[in-house]
Amino acid sequence: MDQITFHYDTVLSDVHLLLPNSRHLMARLNRVGQPVFISRFRILWDGTKQRTCDLGSPCRGEELDRDTQEESGRGDAKESETGADGGVDRDEDGGADGGVDRDEDRGPDGGVNSDEDGGVEPPLDEDGDLEVPRRPRQRLSERDRDMVYPILLSQARRDEEEEDEEEECPRDVIRIEHTMATPLEDVGKQVWRGAFLLADLILSQPTTFRGATVLELGAGTGLTSVVMATVAKTVYCTDVGEDLLSMCQKNVTLNRHLMEPAGGKVRVRLLDWLRHDLCTDADAEFGWTEDEVADLHDNTTIIIAADVCYDDDLTDALFRTLYRICNNLRLPCTTYLSIEKRLNFTLRHMDISCEAYDHFRHCLCEMQELRDGRTCFTVEQVTPSFPQCLLYERIEQLELWKVTAVPV
């Protein structure tokens, strides 16, 4: 797999365009032949933006720090050669070079060659050109070189390395299996900015979600569910498609080091927006149990969805599902929806438009105006003024909406 071929209908992940020099190890091919990568994202617990680097190779900032230390060391060495008063330290004979007379600096009469101004003549070659000494260039070792192509690891070797990595993985690193290029119907297997925006909200306001039972709709790779499990009690990570749900389950396993200290649990389950009931088939791999359905309806207070509105039919299905679930909940519920306002030029309008976003806003208005005597919905936009806790490009087109559902 030296090169990856992109077709005309390929959708690229915009998150990884920000980190073009990072290493993303290609772990395997999924069931439909798409390359699956493992990327690492560092949590900035203090909420301040830090330098970006690949966690598998030295940072550029670290190289600059080393260069600065070397320069500082050379400066200290120069200070040791000069006295406290700025003069050159000399030996007992008074020579600046240790008292050794160099023949090349002296003339035939034993004196030092000097120019008309009394200074020392610069070194010249046979043609009379100035000789400039050059510092030899250091060759980078193999581990310091950036990888150009992803590395395809054998499954057996990868399993062995994962066992070691799970023990040594830092507390502030999230590892996510994902794809970088898929057709439009498989974009849920990629990582998008909306998931990072929701993760920022969770990490910056942990008291809002602490100890809660949370449902995520259209979880994709499960990144937001993993972050939510660092503060919440139970997270139902839902989506559709066996291949995608298996990827979610894998990411939950990869990030147990983040969830176990807080005691949070992530349960990957099938939830099809086009169906009116939950899959409770005991033979289904990601089916619901009766106890989980009861727990969902009795204790859920938070619903989240990240960047799932890119098709009008799916957007309609999302809001129908949201309405149906909220009507079955016993407690008031708050829903957080993140969306990226994508600008496109359309021939129908002959102008820049955001049709998917416009339809999303229309659905929000309809939900707020809904009066059925069962649930009252309140919609408001949340200003993303909270600190950025993950390294990504938080563009102005990213929006966060809050929908509050209260039983009448």
Side-chain angles (χ1 to χ4, degrees):
M1 295 294 295
D2 289 340
Q3 293 182 352
I4 301 175
T5 302
F6 300 119
H7 299 282
Y8 67 93
D9 60 345
T10 299
V11 181
L12 298 177
S13 172
D14 52 5
V15 169
H16 298 90
L17 297 179
L18 181 64
L19 305 173
N21 294 326
S22 296
R23 293 181 183 177
H24 307 283
L25 298 184
M26 181 174 168
R28 59 183 174 86
L29 296 176
N30 58 19
R31 299 178 183 179
V32 294
Q34 298 165 345
V36 177
F37 297 85
I38 295 182
S39 295
R40 302 185 179 189
F41 305 97
R42 186 178 297 277
I43 300 176
L44 311 178
W45 291 109
D46 55 355
T48 57
K49 238 183 177 181
Q50 299 178 2
R51 60 177 180 266
T52 173
C53 69
D54 168 43
L55 300 180
S57 61
C59 301
R60 176 58 183 164
E62 295 176 356
E63 294 175 359
L64 293 177
D65 293 341
R66 288 197 297 267
D67 294 341
T68 304
Q69 293 174 0
E70 291 176 1
E71 292 292 340
S72 176
R74 286 194 291 269
D76 295 341
K78 291 180 180 179
E79 290 180 1
S80 64
E81 293 177 0
T82 58
D85 57 353
V88 180
D89 293 338
R90 300 178 181 273
D91 57 4
E92 297 178 357
D93 297 335
D97 56 353
V100 179
D101 293 335
R102 293 180 294 180
D103 296 337
E104 61 270 18
D105 294 337
R106 296 188 176 276
D109 55 355
V112 178
N113 293 330
S114 59
D115 52 15
E116 296 178 355
D117 299 332
V120 178
E121 292 184 358
L124 303 176
D125 59 10
E126 297 178 356
D127 300 331
D129 299 325
L130 179 65
E131 287 186 350
V132 180
R134 299 183 181 276
R135 185 172 58 183
R137 299 184 62 181
Q138 298 179 354
R139 298 187 60 183
L140 294 177
S141 60
E142 291 296 331
R143 67 179 183 86
D144 292 335
R145 295 181 180 177
D146 291 333
M147 301 303 298
V148 179
Y149 297 111
I151 301 175
L152 181 60
L153 301 178
S154 63
Q155 188 68 31
R157 179 187 170 190
R158 181 170 168 268
D159 291 340
E160 294 175 358
E161 291 181 354
E162 279 182 2
E163 293 179 358
D164 297 335
E165 288 179 357
E166 287 181 2
E167 298 178 357
E168 301 175 358
C169 193
R171 174 75 169 81
D172 57 350
V173 173
I174 303 176
R175 291 180 296 173
I176 295 295
E177 272 199 2
H178 62 93
T179 58
M180 290 189 186
T182 62
L184 182 61
E185 59 268 18
D186 286 339
V187 293
K189 299 175 183 177
Q190 300 185 26
V191 183
W192 300 99
R193 295 188 185 101
F196 286 104
L197 184 65
L198 267 182
D200 283 345
L201 175 68
I202 298 166
L203 293 172
S204 60
Q205 301 178 10
T207 56
T208 305
F209 311 98
R210 194 176 305 281
T213 299
V214 182
L215 169 66
E216 181 173 10
L217 301 174
T221 60
L223 185 146
T224 310
S225 289
V226 169
V227 175
M228 179 65 79
T230 61
V231 292
K233 177 184 177 181
T234 304
V235 181
Y236 291 102
C237 177
T238 67
D239 213 313
V240 64
E242 187 175 351
D243 190 34
L244 180 57
L245 293 173
S246 298
M247 180 182 291
C248 270
Q249 188 63 59
K250 182 65 175 179
N251 289 330
V252 171
T253 304
L254 287 174
N255 294 280
R256 287 180 300 182
H257 63 284
L258 289 173
M259 301 176 291
E260 287 179 350
K265 296 182 180 180
V266 178
R267 300 178 181 178
V268 180
R269 295 293 178 262
L270 170 64
L271 199 158
D272 190 349
W273 299 348
L274 302 180
R275 295 181 55 177
H276 293 280
D277 55 351
L278 300 177
C279 177
T280 55
D281 186 0
D283 296 332
E285 182 180 0
F286 299 100
W288 297 71
T289 65
E290 296 295 339
D291 292 339
E292 290 174 345
V293 175
D295 179 56
L296 175 71
H297 291 159
D298 293 341
N299 300 315
T300 298
T301 56
I302 300 292
I303 298 177
I304 58 176
D307 222 346
V308 295
C309 298
Y310 54 89
D311 177 82
D312 292 352
D313 294 335
L314 288 178
T315 302
D316 293 336
L318 167 68
F319 279 91
R320 286 195 299 266
T321 302
L322 185 61
Y323 170 77
R324 183 172 62 252
I325 292 176
C326 290
N327 281 334
N328 291 327
L329 297 181
R330 184 175 61 87
L331 301 174
C333 179
T334 302
T335 302
Y336 293 94
L337 304 170
S338 66
I339 185 173
E340 182 176 342
K341 186 177 180 181
R342 293 179 172 86
L343 308 175
N344 298 296
F345 180 85
T346 60
L347 294 177
R348 185 174 63 176
H349 298 90
M350 293 301 294
D351 198 0
I352 299 296
S353 63
C354 308
E355 295 186 358
Y357 173 80
D358 294 339
H359 187 71
F360 167 76
R361 292 292 304 272
H362 173 72
C363 293
L364 283 177
C365 294
E366 284 189 338
M367 177 164 278
Q368 184 166 359
E369 296 172 357
L370 185 63
R371 298 291 183 269
D372 61 351
R374 302 176 60 183
T375 307
C376 178
F377 293 94
T378 304
V379 178
E380 60 178 310
Q381 185 174 0
V382 178
T383 302
S385 57
F386 42 86
Q388 185 169 338
C389 301
L390 286 165
L391 190 59
Y392 68 101
E393 189 179 14
R394 187 190 283 188
I395 58 179
E396 61 180 5
Q397 286 78 21
L398 277 175
E399 294 184 0
L400 185 62
W401 291 84
K402 177 181 177 181
V403 180
T404 304
V406 179
V408 176

